[in-house]
Structures are given as C-alpha cells and as structure tokens.
C-alpha cells in the first residue's frame, strides 16, 4: 500500500510488545463495564448457566483467531480487516469492508461518550449526592481521549495498562472475597451442567457474550508499531480471547455463588444495576463498592481511548491508500501519532454527541445504544468476511501452512460467526430497548454502509484507476525497528492476481451504564458491546 514520503515522519516502529497490544484490545472490551452493566441481564435471561455462554463465545472467537492470525503473517498492510478481505475476496469487497470498518469502529466509540456521561453522573450521585449533567462530562471525555491518541502509542499503552489493572483488579477482589467465604451456600459447578446451559435463554446470553468481545480483533491494526509482529500479533490475539473468555465466565460464576443459585435471579430482577455493588459490599466492604464506581468510569475512558487509537490507524491507512484525504495520513513528527486523523475523529464525535444532546436524546438509551449497536453488528460482519477470505486466499497462494489453519478453522469460524450474527440480530431488541422500526433501521445500516462501499469501489475504479489498482497493496519490506530516519519504504507495485470478480491480481506475498447501588431499581437496557 502507499506509504508516507521518504522524508516524512512515520508511525513509531517496534514500540509495542505483546503486553502493550493486549492492553489495547482488552481495554476496548471494557471488562468491568461489561460485568457490572450487562452480566446481570445475562443472568436474568439465561439463569445460572450464563457463565457457559461467555466460554462458548470465547471458544468460537478462538477458532476464528486461528485463520485470522495465520493471515497476519502473510498480509503486512496496515489495513487489517479490509486488507485481509481484499486478498481473499477482491478489491470491491475490500473497499466495502474498509468503509464498514471505519463506520463500525466509529460507532463503537462515539456512542460510548453517552455511557461516559451517564456512568460519571451515576458515580457522582452515588458517592457524593451530586447531580452532574452528562453533556459536559462527555465533551470533556472527548478532549481527554483526543489527547491520549495525540500522544505516542507507547504512552497510550502505559495509560491503558494502569486502567486495565484497576478495573480487572476490583473484579478479582470481588471474586477473591466470594471464594474465601465460600459463597452464600458453598461453591457449586452447577452453572456448567448441561441442564443449566441448554435452556431457552442461552441464545440471548450468547448474543450478549459475543458482543462483550468486540474489539479483540484490533490486534492486527498495530502491526506497523509492533515488535516482531509475526509473533506479537498472534500472541496478543490469543491472550485477549483467552483472558476475556475465562475472566468473564469466572466473574459471572463467582457472582452467582455470592448470592446462591436461587437467590441470584431474584436479586438481578430487583436491581440488575446494583447486583455487583451489593456483592462486593457484602464480601469485601463498602469501600470496595466505592472503588468499583470510580473504576467503571475509568473503564469506559480506557475503552474510548483504545477504540480511538484503532480508528486513527484505519483512517491513516485509508489516507495512504488515497481513499480518504491525504491530510489524514500525516504523522506527528514528535509523537509519531496520526494526529490529524485523531483530530478529525474527535471532531466527528463532538458533532454526533452535540446533535443527540440538542435533540433531547437520552445519552444511554439512544446515544449509546443506537450508535453502538450497528457498530457492533458491523464489526461482527467484518469478522465473518475475514473468515471467508482466509481459505479463499490460501487456496490461490503458495504457502506452507497446514489445512487446520487455512481451511478447517476458518470455515468453522465462518459458520459459527454467521450463527452469532443471526443471534445478535434476532435479539437486537434486548440491546436497544427500541421499537421495531428503530431496530430495523439500525440493523439495515450495516448492509447499507457495505453497499455504499461497493459503490465507492466502482467510482474509484472508473475515475481513479491508479488508486483502485494500488488498494491494499503490500509494502515492499517489513518495517525495521524505529530510528529517527526510519519511515516506511515505498509502495508495492506488483500486479494483482485475478479475483473472483475478474479484477486485478492480488500479490502473492512470500487482531450499562451500570447504575449505582443507590439508583432506582428499573432494569437498565444492556450495553451492546464491550
């Protein structure tokens, strides 16, 4: 793909190790917010078998990661999802995927500014009895996240590392208290018994569980900034999936033990937003519940920063492709960050947040859920397209990878992801708490954006054939570790192998607003994706 000019600054090379990339992708999932805000609703719907739903979702995404990470060793473009899809399914589909990725990641981030406003307001009320308006908080969050993205990538990794330790640490503290005291009636593995898992509500739990992993696939976006990316990217991807799957299941199981199999359903029905706060108050102490309130706010900020960085790198890649304005491809000479892409993304976020505020929309039920939900479905659709692209690519390409990595796992992942998307779409009302008309529009946005991308592809092919021909091309060489004079090499000008639509050939190159305990007992709408 096109790279910055030889005399211009580039992204910082060899800046991120496995742990750093893992911090980015796990932070995007916002584990504490998912657990305190959404897991109680999953328990209500799926009963005590809810923990198994998170395990099943994790196993499905681990299968997806097999082909996904194998592809990462063969595709070195900074375009991540859209580059993989282009290699397998052709440039038209790849450009459609690029637009869907840009809109999907923006949806996943911008809606969460509504959640930041509501969680901060809830925390201020619970801890100090203060009534804080949500809009100033959301706008302040926009500035804070912009600054985090403006600074160097290793600065962001350090910030996310601290915030992630805080949010997972408070959940581990809760789990430790429950285990040490043996729960309400002793510890039981009944949550994983077939009779508890094979119930009608499991389908809804699976829909929530898949949504809770959104963002783990962004490991590959950081390829150009990773140390030894052929090893770092797969490791970070597997670590993220394994950690999230096991951690989610373990924490949900411990909360069930904290109340007891029978009592937890009544407690979740009475006050889902206060379930985790009540548990940690009983088993650790009121001071821990206060910390949990604070760490939920930092969990949301960490998620926003992680998605902001991912969006900036997608915009940078598309600017280098010539699809977006070239100015978005500029890199800051000191911080080596895509600073203009970050500024544009923050400006877009401010416009959308202000538009919802001026319309009198609810920051949680409308700004968060209506913007977040199509973003989540769009990213799941991208995973499905990527899974399909893997076996197609390897069928055409000379390689030494085994059939498990290139055929069996990706085909199985595609089938499982198709089922997951159907589950999410069929249960979309649980995510949005909106009318059928609103839900239809939100779901329809995903194919509409993809079709718009196909139209953009045709326009580029007709009016800017050079840009179209170079789309998602590979760099000539893998980037060396960063030096002061170390920008990337120029674009690959190799011809592309014929794709399924008869296009140019591809080169064969050698990743709820949880209400406070004091909030009213009205069940909150579940948060759709973290």
């Amino acid at each position: 793909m096109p790279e910055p000019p030889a005399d211009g600054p580039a992204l910082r090379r060899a800046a991120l190790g496995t742990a750093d990339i893992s911090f980015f992708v796990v932070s995007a999932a916002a584990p504490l917010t998912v657990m305190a805000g959404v897991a109680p609703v999953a328990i209500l719907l799926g009963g005590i078998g809810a923990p198994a739903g998170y395990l099943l979702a994790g196993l499905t995404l681990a299968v997806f990661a097999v082909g996904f990470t194998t592809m990462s060793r063969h595709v070195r473009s900074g375009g991540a999802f859209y580059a993989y899809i282009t290699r397998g399914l052709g440039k038209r589909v790849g450009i459609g995927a690029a637009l869907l990725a840009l809109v999907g990641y923006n949806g996943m981030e911008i809606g969460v500014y509504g959640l930041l406003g509501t969680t901060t307001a809830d925390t201020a009320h619970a801890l100090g009895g203060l009534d804080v308006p949500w809009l100033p908080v959301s706008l302040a969050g926009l500035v804070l996240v912009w600054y985090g993205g403006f600074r160097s990538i290793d600065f962001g990794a350090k910030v996310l590392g601290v915030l992630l330790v805080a949010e997972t640490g408070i959940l581990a503290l809760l789990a430790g208290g429950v285990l040490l005291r043996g729960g309400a009636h002793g510890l039981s593995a009944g949550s994983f018994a077939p009779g508890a898992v094979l119930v009608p509500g499991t389908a809804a739990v699976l829909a929530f569980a898949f949504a809770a992993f959104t963002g783990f696939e962004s490991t590959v976006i950081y390829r150009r900034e990773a140390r030894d990316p052929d090893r770092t990217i797969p490791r970070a991807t597997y670590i993220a999936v394994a950690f999230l799957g096991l951690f989610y299941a373990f924490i949900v199981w411990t909360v069930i033990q904290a109340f007891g199999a029978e009592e937890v359903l009544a407690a979740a029905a009475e006050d889902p937003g206060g379930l985790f706060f009540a548990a940690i108050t009983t088993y650790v102490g009121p001071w821990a519940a206060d910390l949990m309130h604070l760490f939920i706010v930092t969990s949301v900020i960490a998620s926003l920063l992680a998605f902001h960085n991912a969006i900036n790198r997608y915009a940078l890649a598309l600017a280098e492709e010539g699809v977006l304005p070239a100015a978005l491809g500029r890199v800051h000479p000191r911080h080596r960050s895509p600073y203009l892409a970050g500024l544009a993304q923050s400006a877009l976020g401010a416009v959308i947040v202000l538009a919802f505020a001026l319309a009198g929309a609810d920051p949680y039920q409308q700004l968060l859920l209506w913007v977040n939900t199509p973003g989540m479905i769009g990213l799941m659709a991208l995973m499905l397209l990527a899974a399909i692209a893997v076996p197609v690519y390897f069928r055409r390409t000379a390689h030494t990878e085994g059939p498990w990595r290139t055929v069996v796992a990706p085909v199985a992942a595609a089938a499982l992801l198709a089922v997951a998307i159907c589950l999410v779409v069929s249960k979309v009302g649980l995510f949005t708490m909106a009318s059928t008309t609103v839900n239809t529009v939100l779901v329809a946005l995903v194919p509409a954006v993809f079709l718009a991308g196909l139209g953009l592809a045709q326009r580029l092919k007709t009016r800017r054939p050079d840009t179209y021909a170079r789309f998602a091309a590979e760099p000539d060489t893998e980037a060396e570790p960063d030096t002061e004079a170390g920008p990337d090499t120029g674009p690959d000008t190799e011809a592309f192998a014929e794709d399924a639509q008869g296009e140019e050939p591809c080169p064969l190159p050698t990743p709820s607003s949880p209400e406070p305990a004091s909030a009213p007992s009205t069940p909150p709408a579940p948060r759709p994706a973290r």
Side-chain angles (χ1 to χ4, degrees):
M1 65 184 284
E3 299 288 347
D7 57 350
L11 295 175
R12 194 180 301 279
R13 304 301 178 184
L16 302 176
T18 300
D20 299 318
I21 297 173
S22 299
F23 289 152
F24 275 104
V25 298
V26 175
S27 294
L32 177 55
T33 308
V34 165
M35 290 291 93
V38 180
V41 181
I43 293 171
L44 264 177
L45 296 172
I48 65 169
Y54 291 95
L55 284 181
L56 291 172
L59 287 172
T60 296
L61 296 176
V63 174
F64 166 76
V66 173
F68 186 61
T69 56
T70 301
M71 195 82 160
S72 73
R73 294 198 293 268
H74 294 258
V75 179
R76 296 167 294 156
S77 166
F81 263 141
Y82 77 72
Y84 293 13
I85 293 167
T86 299
R87 289 292 182 278
L89 304 179
K91 291 195 189 71
R92 286 191 181 89
V93 178
I95 294 171
L99 187 60
L100 185 57
L102 198 61
V103 173
Y105 275 104
N106 270 287
M108 289 300 299
E109 194 225 19
I110 293 171
V112 179
Y113 284 110
L115 180 63
L116 176 63
T118 57
T119 54
T120 304
D122 289 345
T123 296
H125 184 77
L127 300 184
L130 302 175
D131 291 325
V132 176
W134 71 270
L135 182 58
V137 174
S138 296
L139 294 177
L142 271 158
V143 175
L144 183 63
V145 170
W146 163 80
Y147 179 74
F150 172 73
R151 292 291 303 272
S152 63
I153 191 69
D154 44 344
F155 170 83
K158 290 180 175 65
V159 170
L160 290 179
V162 171
L163 298 182
L164 183 61
V165 168
E167 65 175 302
T168 56
I170 197 70
L171 288 170
L173 187 64
L174 165 61
V178 173
L179 294 178
L180 286 174
R181 292 176 57 178
H185 310 296
L187 303 178
S188 166
S191 291
F192 304 100
V197 177
L198 301 177
V199 297
T202 298
V205 174
L206 283 170
F208 284 121
F210 279 107
F213 285 81
T214 307
F216 90 93
E217 75 294 332
S218 60
T219 51
V220 295
I221 295 173
Y222 300 100
R223 179 178 182 89
R224 286 199 274 175
E225 295 159 289
R227 293 193 290 271
D228 191 7
D230 286 347
R231 302 177 73 177
T232 303
I233 297 299
R235 286 175 180 173
T237 305
Y238 285 119
I239 287 171
V241 174
F243 174 79
L244 290 173
L246 294 172
F247 189 70
Y248 286 154
F250 173 65
I251 295 299
V252 175
W253 174 79
T254 58
V255 168
I256 292 171
Q257 306 310 302
F259 290 90
E262 299 294 332
E263 296 89 337
V264 71
L265 295 177
E270 181 181 352
D271 184 11
L275 190 71
F276 274 67
F277 295 100
I280 201 168
T281 298
T282 299
Y283 287 89
V284 181
W287 63 270
D290 291 343
L291 277 181
M292 183 175 281
H293 279 296
L294 293 173
F295 289 162
I296 283 177
V297 175
T298 62
S299 169
V300 175
I301 293 172
S303 178
L304 285 165
L305 179 56
F307 272 107
H308 179 71
N309 276 290
I311 294 163
N312 294 350
R313 280 147 185 80
Y314 258 117
L316 172 72
L318 287 170
E320 292 171 351
E321 303 277 12
V323 175
L324 291 181
L328 298 181
R330 293 180 188 171
V331 173
H332 194 276
R334 178 183 175 189
H335 299 305
R336 312 294 281 275
S337 62
Y339 70 108
L340 287 183
L343 186 62
Q345 199 279 326
S346 296
L348 175 64
V351 168
I352 293 175
V353 168
L354 287 170
F356 272 81
L358 290 173
D362 183 87
Y364 181 81
Q365 297 224 8
Q366 291 169 321
L367 175 54
L368 171 68
L369 300 181
W370 290 10
V371 177
N372 211 216
T373 299
M376 171 192 69
I377 297 172
L379 294 189
M380 293 182 73
L382 284 172
M383 284 193 278
L384 174 59
L385 288 173
I388 295 170
V390 173
V392 178
Y393 168 79
F394 283 110
R395 181 173 59 85
R396 298 175 180 163
T397 306
H399 61 87
T400 59
E401 308 286 355
W404 162 248
R405 291 181 172 275
T406 59
V407 179
V408 179
V411 169
L416 292 169
L417 284 166
V419 172
I421 292 171
C422 290
L423 282 175
V424 169
V425 171
S426 68
K427 305 294 181 182
V428 71
L430 296 175
F431 291 95
T432 65
M433 305 298 289
S435 66
T436 301
T437 301
V438 170
N439 290 334
T440 301
V441 171
L442 294 179
V443 173
L445 282 173
V446 176
V449 169
F450 181 71
L451 289 174
L454 297 182
L456 174 62
Q458 185 59 40
R459 181 183 178 88
L460 287 173
K461 185 175 184 180
T462 302
R463 300 192 178 185
R464 296 164 58 191
D466 290 344
T467 297
Y468 183 83
R470 292 193 306 267
F471 184 78
E474 287 288 276
D476 286 331
T477 60
E478 187 69 80
E480 297 296 328
D482 188 34
T483 64
E484 285 301 311
D488 289 354
T489 57
D492 188 312
T493 55
E494 251 184 278
F496 277 70
E498 204 52 35
D499 70 13
Q501 298 176 340
E503 299 170 4
E504 297 81 356
C506 282
L508 306 180
T510 53
S512 80
S513 164
E515 297 181 11
S518 58
S521 59
T522 303
R527 195 164 84 80
R530 295 282 177 286

